[in-house]
Amino acid sequence: MKLSIITPDKLAFEGEVTSVTVPGTSGSFQILKDHAAIVSTLEDGKVIVKSSTEELVITIKGGVVEAKDNNIIILAEGIVQN
């Protein structure tokens, strides 16, 4: 799957992933390969990105996620620097 995390300032992440866990408004949920098309609002929280070789955690300040045809786009209001 291809994941893009975009903020108003920059492209924060782009790459191939095996799963993504996002902080949905009604609770966290995971997106895997061939997930049904979805659009959801996001709360402040952690986006957990897993690829075949690593796991990356990016903390966002709310936003929207769209998943369709194994392409995931997260439009985040901002990224919290750790």
Side-chain angles (χ1 to χ4, degrees):
M1 300 182 301
K2 182 180 176 191
L3 170 66
S4 299
I5 300 177
I6 304 166
T7 69
D9 301 333
K10 64 181 180 177
L11 176 63
F13 177 90
E14 187 170 57
E16 288 293 318
V17 299
T18 55
S19 74
V20 180
T21 303
V22 294
T25 304
S26 298
S28 292
F29 63 95
Q30 187 175 49
I31 300 171
L32 299 168
K33 186 172 189 252
D34 297 326
H35 194 285
I38 187 171
V39 174
S40 177
T41 55
L42 299 175
E43 295 288 321
D44 294 0
K46 294 182 169 121
V47 176
I48 303 167
V49 179
K50 292 184 182 178
S51 69
S52 57
T53 58
E54 67 179 335
E55 181 177 302
L56 178 66
V57 177
I58 300 169
T59 305
I60 64 166
K61 293 181 180 177
V64 177
V65 62
E66 178 186 24
K68 183 179 177 187
D69 299 329
N70 291 319
N71 286 309
I72 305 162
I73 299 172
I74 296 175
L75 300 175
E77 292 176 19
I79 301 286
V80 177
Q81 299 300 324
N82 296 330

